[in-house]
Amino acid sequence: MALVNETIIDKNGYKLHIVPTDKYKTITLMWKMKAPLKEETITKRALLPYVLQGGSEKYPTSTDLRSYLDDLYGASFYVDLGKKGNYHVINFTMEVANEKFLKESESLLERAFSFMHEVLQKPLVENGSFNQDIVDDEKRSLKQRIESVYDDKMRYANARLLEEMYKDDPYSLHVNGRLDDIDQLNASNLYQYYEQAFAEDELDLYVVGDVQADQVETMADSFLQFTARTPQLADASSSSSQPAEVKEVKEKQDIKQGKLHIGCRTYVAYKDEDYFAMQLFNGIFGGFSHSKLFTNVREKASLAYYAASRLESHKGFLMILSGIDSKNYEQAVAIIREQLSDMKDGKISDNELEQTKAVLRNQLLETVDTARGIIEMLYQNVVGGREITIDQWLEAVERTTKEEVVSAAGKVEMDTIYFLSGTEGE
Amino acid sequence: MEKIAFDQLQEELFYEKMDNGLEVYVLQKKGFNKTYATFTTKYGSIDNRFIPLGKDDYVRVPDGIAHFLEHKMFEKEDGDVFQHFSKQGASANAFTSFTRTAYLFSSTSRVHENLETLLNFVQEPYFTEQTVEKEKGIIGQEIRMYDDNPDWQAYFGLIQNMYHHHPVKIDIAGTVESIADITKDHLYECYRTFYHPSNMLLFVVGSVDPKETIEFVRANQGKKDYKEQPEVKRAFEEEPEQVKEPKQVRQMNVQTAKCEVGLKAVDTNLQGKELQKREAVMNVLLDALFGKSSPLYYQLYREGLIDETFYYDFTQEKGFGFAMVGGNTAKPEELAERVKQILMEASAGKHLTEEALQRSVKKKIGSFLRSINSPEYIANQFTRYAFNGMNLFDVVPVYESVTLTDVMDTAKHMISEDRLSTFQILPK
């Protein structure tokens, strides 16, 4: 039996993905809207879902809307934003209890579909505009959300690294958009964008839980209807290129710990054959607590509490991150460079390769134990334009050889070193 | 081996107390790939004055030692325990709280091997002067990371406002200065006192056969020679009911201000069913006042005092407890006043209605059902509940038993001006 059984059905304007499983006591619905990252639309996209969850025709205030959810056995509903390569994704997630575990006979799933329909298709609109109060409140919240990135130094350093590394590339845009755009947004131009997004975005709905596919399809048909569209592709030509030399950017703030974030280009994405080799590269290099970065920066040199690498699946981007004392900057960078060149030179033990395969396999299997994990794994196929099942994923990891990992390592190039230095230990 | 069935939830819990005193619980989760196990000692950051095993007098150990010990458990003569786990396809971790130190792994294969690694590494300490010194650099960076984290600073700042003496006010990791004093002898002393099986609990949840798992643990423990050990004697100073400071402000390198209001708990000797009821009532009370569906939340949001980071939380264990309400805000002073005012009004019965109560109860039950999809939640919370004489799987009936009178009585009993405190983080 396959680990995850996904049925994909073409609906009017969207794809319906159904994953029946009896693992959970709840049913999860996730609505995804994808469009290319663009300066002109990013801030509107960041504001839109929050305005929609601020009230609808039937539930005009957030109190009405939240009360309805509470009465629905504390159904959870939230919106968030993501960046997948050069695409921006808006998520609406709802989780309802399965009535089997409650003293309740009515179908909560049907009510969940009806609620999704309300929020997505029946917003609170007056004379071709959203409700002014909701838009004003959410503009204020969005400003605060963008400003608070500065307060979390790890997130701040991530954002700054991307700005420096991808100067003329939309990938440098932040998921929450740009502070300076917010004042120009209003109830009317945001409503226009709402209509545009629902007409043009690539739309996907995932339903995961103890459900029957035919029942879900019937509910989808009766509650969610959109017009057909051809999804837009992100413009690959706008991608920036690598500098001749590794760029070094230093910034100083009144903080206790320095944040070292190094951006690398991998030139390998989900759609490529050597994607799995790159996953293994990342695992051996810095993905886990047995990895080279953790072992050498933390355990041996005692320089850091965390030292890791993360791979972005669609952009060909890998980030190294560590929190260190500013006085140890040179030493930390030297150790990291050494680990990268060891990877390129093939200094990888059989043990490291086998450990990494084992934990990657484990990580994957654990990911598909959660509904959100299943959805995010499957959505990679939509974004990457390549159909890979979870079982194929596992096989591909198992098959990958050391030579293939070394060859993937050969493609990884350090691009930008960003250091947010602290004032401590200087 | 005992079997405890929870019919409505369709869950079965298996339990056995080993001869050496270790309590073992196993919950099978059908359809899951993963098995998650926690091995937890009832020993946390607050246990800093106690009579060490075999001694007669109380000692006071350096701040941050329980957490330091947690780090050092992973290093052995033949290397790092993380390496063993990853060879076996598992990911391992640990955490230290006020009252517990937990070691854990999750894996989708070779569960018995991983379980054996977990039991053995926690039951075989290995500390040397050299490895203890090396760890100080790593933990020093962990502390620095939290120093720069405004949420953590606001959380501890508020606890420090509320508590005069109780060690809950000490940061779990200690300070760079306090950990400098830690030696391998300290670690052995704490280890021998608190890591006896009779002070510990093992919880295994996931794709396991309960009977085989319990047999496996029994065999493993049977090979180890533990002598009976009396319960650890801990000492705490008398703590006044009133807060220490009504208000403090700290400036940090941030752009957004934060404001948190704390309510210091009374009756901190409560355990078992009484504590479970108190927690449920307090959560319902706070949700009725500050939850996203409350009219007050809407007002505060509309007035620009809060954003989506606004939250409430209540926690109580033996000896300490507090409610916290707050989040990011453009107007910290105004928010503090409003939250305090709302709490004082609630103590006089205002804002509390049957309708709000029913909604909050439903919401809490739904949220519990979501939570028990998560093996991590089950293991960690079950252990916390068990150490306080409560049962995680009673959450639904306890919530269903909450009445409006309970909520009003508790509001009146708990909330008082001199038990309120605020802590603000302001941009420099």
Side-chain angles (χ1 to χ4, degrees):
Chain A
M1 199 185 77
L3 276 161
V4 170
N5 287 298
E6 181 190 25
T7 306
I8 307 174
I9 308 168
D10 270 313
K11 290 284 141 201
N12 280 340
Y14 66 101
K15 282 200 173 75
L16 171 65
H17 308 247
I18 307 170
V19 183
T21 165
D22 58 5
K23 270 193 229 187
Y24 314 118
K25 295 192 161 52
T26 51
I27 301 167
T28 302
L29 282 83
M30 195 163 178
W31 179 258
K32 286 176 168 283
M33 308 181 54
K34 171 170 118 2
L37 278 169
K38 280 184 192 153
E39 271 185 21
E40 310 85 79
T41 55
I42 184 86
T43 313
K44 290 174 185 165
R45 297 181 65 81
L47 182 60
L48 179 62
Y50 292 93
V51 168
L52 293 179
Q53 75 159 359
S56 75
E57 202 178 282
K58 194 167 167 190
Y59 312 109
T61 69
S62 63
T63 312
D64 301 324
L65 193 135
R66 291 285 155 192
S67 301
Y68 178 74
L69 290 167
D70 288 356
D71 285 332
L72 211 59
Y73 278 89
S76 80
F77 179 74
Y78 62 91
V79 299
D80 61 8
L81 305 166
K83 215 162 72 169
K84 301 267 173 195
N86 278 18
Y87 291 99
H88 188 256
V89 183
I90 304 173
N91 300 308
F92 296 83
T93 311
M94 185 166 187
E95 198 177 343
V96 283
N98 193 320
E99 58 270 14
K100 273 210 279 199
F101 304 99
L102 299 167
K103 297 166 191 158
E104 175 81 44
S105 50
E106 211 184 329
S107 168
L108 296 184
L109 182 60
E110 188 160 345
R111 291 170 68 185
F113 263 98
S114 153
F115 181 82
M116 274 285 190
H117 167 72
E118 277 296 318
V119 172
L120 300 175
Q121 297 189 278
K122 292 270 188 264
L124 190 57
V125 181
E126 296 136 9
N127 308 319
S129 291
F130 282 128
N131 175 278
Q132 189 68 45
D133 288 347
I134 295 177
V135 172
D136 287 345
D137 285 349
E138 294 311 320
K139 280 168 69 175
R140 176 180 59 78
S141 284
L142 181 59
K143 273 186 190 166
Q144 230 157 284
R145 205 172 299 129
I146 293 172
E147 282 171 348
S148 71
V149 170
Y150 179 87
D151 305 347
D152 180 337
K153 300 307 168 191
M154 209 187 280
R155 281 169 66 207
Y156 176 76
N158 284 349
R160 288 286 298 117
L161 170 68
L162 292 185
E163 278 171 24
E164 293 291 341
M165 184 166 159
Y166 292 103
K167 271 211 155 85
D168 302 309
D169 184 325
Y171 192 64
S172 63
L173 292 168
H174 195 273
V175 280
N176 286 318
R178 304 185 302 182
L179 201 57
D180 296 343
D181 293 342
I182 298 177
D183 286 338
Q184 283 128 48
L185 300 183
N186 58 47
S188 151
N189 60 24
L190 190 68
Y191 183 70
Q192 282 163 22
Y193 184 72
Y194 160 79
E195 295 199 306
Q196 185 191 332
F198 274 85
E200 295 176 359
D201 274 20
E202 181 167 7
L203 308 174
D204 290 274
L205 172 65
Y206 290 83
V207 180
V208 180
D210 195 356
V211 294
Q212 283 180 314
D214 52 339
Q215 285 180 5
V216 172
E217 200 184 345
T218 311
M219 289 181 205
D221 285 334
S222 57
F223 289 107
L224 296 166
Q225 299 270 0
F226 297 88
T227 50
R229 79 265 336 266
T230 308
Q232 300 171 60
L233 294 176
D235 183 6
S237 65
S238 62
S239 296
S240 59
S241 57
Q242 196 187 337
E245 267 175 56
V246 177
K247 186 166 140 189
E248 206 175 6
V249 181
K250 288 189 177 181
E251 204 176 318
K252 204 168 191 167
Q253 278 186 13
D254 179 13
I255 50 174
K256 300 278 175 63
Q257 182 178 64
K259 301 286 181 201
L260 175 60
H261 287 222
I262 303 177
C264 303
R265 291 176 195 261
T266 68
Y267 302 98
V268 174
Y270 190 74
K271 60 180 183 346
D272 299 314
E273 273 313 306
D274 49 356
Y275 174 71
F276 301 101
M278 193 54 79
Q279 281 285 350
L280 278 163
F281 164 84
N282 180 55
I284 298 167
F285 179 57
F288 301 101
S289 55
H290 66 269
S291 306
K292 287 187 188 292
L293 292 178
F294 188 89
T295 308
N296 291 286
V297 180
R298 172 175 152 143
E299 296 299 306
K300 288 193 181 148
S302 216
L303 294 185
Y305 173 62
Y306 65 90
S309 64
R310 290 182 196 156
L311 184 65
E312 210 281 346
S313 286
H314 303 282
K315 184 64 186 171
F317 169 64
L318 178 135
M319 182 167 61
I320 300 162
L321 61 164
S322 185
I324 56 171
D325 255 353
S326 299
K327 66 174 188 317
N328 295 328
Y329 171 77
E330 301 293 340
Q331 193 193 349
V333 171
I335 296 173
I336 292 167
R337 282 182 182 275
E338 197 186 326
Q339 303 318 306
L340 183 57
S341 69
D342 279 0
M343 292 292 301
K344 287 171 181 281
D345 294 344
K347 290 184 188 157
I348 298 168
S349 69
D350 292 345
N351 199 7
E352 282 174 303
L353 183 68
E354 289 315 311
Q355 273 177 319
T356 305
K357 284 184 177 180
V359 292
L360 255 182
R361 179 186 169 80
N362 184 54
Q363 193 181 53
L364 223 57
L365 288 170
E366 287 193 13
T367 301
V368 298
D369 268 348
T370 68
R372 175 107 198 209
I374 290 177
I375 295 169
E376 293 302 342
M377 283 291 298
L378 296 175
Y379 194 61
Q380 301 275 49
N381 291 337
V382 174
V383 180
R386 179 186 182 190
E387 289 297 321
I388 307 171
T389 67
I390 314 278
D391 297 271
Q392 285 167 340
W393 232 106
L394 292 171
E395 283 159 87
V397 167
E398 209 46 57
R399 257 198 332 262
T400 303
T401 63
K402 183 180 147 186
E403 289 65 38
E404 289 166 332
V405 176
V406 175
S407 145
K411 295 187 175 178
V412 178
E413 294 301 335
M414 226 181 239
D415 184 292
T416 302
I417 302 177
Y418 172 82
F419 188 52
L420 178 63
S421 76
T423 47
E424 199 76 4
E426 282 191 327
Chain B
M1 188 171 79
E2 268 180 65
K3 184 170 100 174
I4 313 156
F6 303 98
D7 296 334
Q8 180 83 42
L9 296 172
Q10 299 179 17
E11 300 281 8
E12 283 179 353
L13 183 65
F14 291 82
Y15 166 73
E16 184 169 309
K17 188 170 183 168
M18 300 291 147
D19 289 341
N20 63 19
L22 176 65
E23 301 208 78
V24 181
Y25 291 87
V26 182
L27 185 80
Q28 186 175 18
K29 273 275 182 193
K30 292 207 175 90
F32 275 68
N33 301 308
K34 161 155 85 175
T35 296
Y36 180 82
T38 57
F39 191 21
T40 310
T41 166
K42 200 175 184 174
Y43 168 53
S45 64
I46 66 166
D47 300 302
N48 64 356
R49 274 183 71 212
F50 56 89
I51 300 181
L53 179 68
K55 302 268 177 64
D56 302 317
D57 297 317
Y58 281 96
V59 294
R60 168 74 163 82
V61 288
D63 292 347
I65 194 160
H67 171 259
F68 201 105
L69 178 52
E70 172 229 296
H71 270 240
K72 280 334 295 169
M73 289 308 298
F74 283 90
E75 193 159 340
K76 303 295 171 201
E77 202 165 1
D78 63 347
D80 192 333
V81 179
F82 286 121
Q83 300 282 347
H84 287 274
F85 277 114
S86 52
K87 266 178 218 157
Q88 293 162 191
S91 65
N93 214 333
F95 64 85
T96 307
S97 73
F98 294 127
T99 53
R100 289 173 286 145
T101 312
Y103 299 85
L104 57 98
F105 76 82
S106 67
S107 76
T108 51
S109 63
R110 301 165 81 175
V111 170
H112 281 189
E113 278 167 84
N114 287 315
L115 200 50
E116 184 165 37
T117 305
L118 176 69
L119 290 167
N120 292 353
F121 100 81
V122 176
Q123 294 187 322
E124 288 159 11
Y126 172 78
F127 311 128
T128 68
E129 284 305 340
Q130 192 203 346
T131 60
V132 167
E133 284 313 307
K134 193 204 74 183
E135 204 67 24
K136 289 176 183 173
I138 297 171
I139 296 178
Q141 285 308 317
E142 189 178 0
I143 293 169
R144 294 276 179 250
M145 182 175 82
Y146 283 106
D147 283 345
D148 289 331
N149 180 327
D151 291 317
W152 188 255
Q153 292 306 312
Y155 178 70
F156 258 97
L158 186 56
I159 297 174
Q160 283 160 2
N161 270 5
M162 288 189 275
Y163 280 86
H164 298 253
H165 310 298
H166 195 282
V168 69
K169 69 179 190 170
I170 300 166
D171 196 313
I172 292 169
T175 63
V176 170
E177 293 72 31
S178 76
I179 63 169
D181 298 334
I182 291 175
T183 65
K184 77 169 178 14
D185 298 328
H186 283 124
L187 296 184
Y188 276 116
E189 184 168 79
C190 293
Y191 180 84
R192 289 184 187 119
T193 307
F194 291 103
Y195 279 66
H196 190 272
S198 61
N199 194 46
M200 300 188 70
L201 189 153
L202 176 73
F203 200 102
V204 185
V205 48
S207 67
V208 286
D209 178 287
K211 193 162 165 272
E212 278 176 20
T213 306
I214 285 185
E215 274 166 16
F216 183 83
V217 175
R218 198 189 299 129
N220 174 285
Q221 293 300 289
K223 281 183 256 171
K224 295 172 184 175
D225 184 26
Y226 280 101
K227 295 189 173 52
E228 215 167 293
Q229 194 167 311
E231 199 171 330
V232 188
K233 283 206 173 75
R234 301 154 160 100
F236 296 98
E237 258 183 85
E238 187 83 21
E239 175 70 32
E241 282 197 350
Q242 295 75 30
V243 298
K244 182 165 178 276
E245 305 283 348
K247 181 187 166 186
Q248 284 205 80
V249 174
R250 181 174 310 157
Q251 302 208 311
M252 285 183 75
N253 180 28
V254 294
Q255 286 187 347
T256 315
K258 278 179 199 302
C259 169
E260 313 263 342
V261 175
L263 168 67
K264 191 174 179 179
V266 291
D267 310 325
T268 54
N269 56 338
L270 291 184
Q271 289 282 277
K273 285 194 160 46
E274 288 177 322
L275 178 58
Q276 196 155 3
K277 183 74 181 258
R278 173 62 57 86
E279 279 197 343
V281 171
M282 280 304 293
N283 276 312
V284 169
L285 167 65
L286 292 168
D287 189 67
L289 297 176
F290 302 112
K292 282 193 170 154
S293 51
S294 77
L296 292 165
Y297 180 96
Y298 185 67
Q299 270 178 30
L300 297 174
Y301 200 87
R302 290 264 41 225
E303 288 166 28
L305 294 178
I306 61 174
D307 67 9
E308 80 265 9
T309 60
F310 187 71
Y311 80 105
Y312 68 83
D313 183 49
F314 177 74
T315 183
Q316 182 168 327
E317 295 200 47
K318 201 171 184 179
F320 66 93
F322 39 81
M324 287 187 180
V325 181
N328 291 350
T329 177
K331 302 168 185 168
E333 201 59 35
E334 245 180 286
L335 179 60
E337 285 317 307
R338 288 295 298 283
V339 169
K340 285 198 288 185
Q341 185 200 343
I342 290 167
L343 285 167
M344 291 310 297
E345 286 167 356
S347 81
K350 209 175 159 191
H351 310 304
L352 304 172
T353 63
E354 187 62 37
E355 194 197 346
L357 163 85
Q358 290 308 331
R359 201 161 48 221
S360 295
V361 166
K362 265 193 168 178
K363 177 174 165 184
K364 292 293 168 191
I365 291 174
S367 141
F368 177 73
L369 285 181
R370 275 201 303 283
S371 301
I372 62 172
N373 283 334
S374 155
E376 290 86 345
Y377 176 88
I378 294 176
N380 294 329
Q381 287 304 309
F382 185 91
T383 305
R384 186 185 93 85
Y385 275 67
F387 283 174
N388 287 285
M390 312 188 278
N391 187 339
L392 177 69
F393 294 100
D394 286 343
V395 162
V396 174
V398 171
Y399 270 115
E400 282 169 344
S401 78
V402 174
T403 66
L404 188 59
T405 316
D406 290 333
V407 175
M408 290 190 143
D409 288 351
T410 302
K412 191 174 175 204
H413 176 67
M414 286 274 288
I415 304 168
S416 149
E417 192 86 52
D418 58 3
R419 286 183 221 127
L420 292 175
S421 177
T422 65
F423 192 88
Q424 296 174 13
I425 302 269
L426 301 181
K428 257 184 187 166

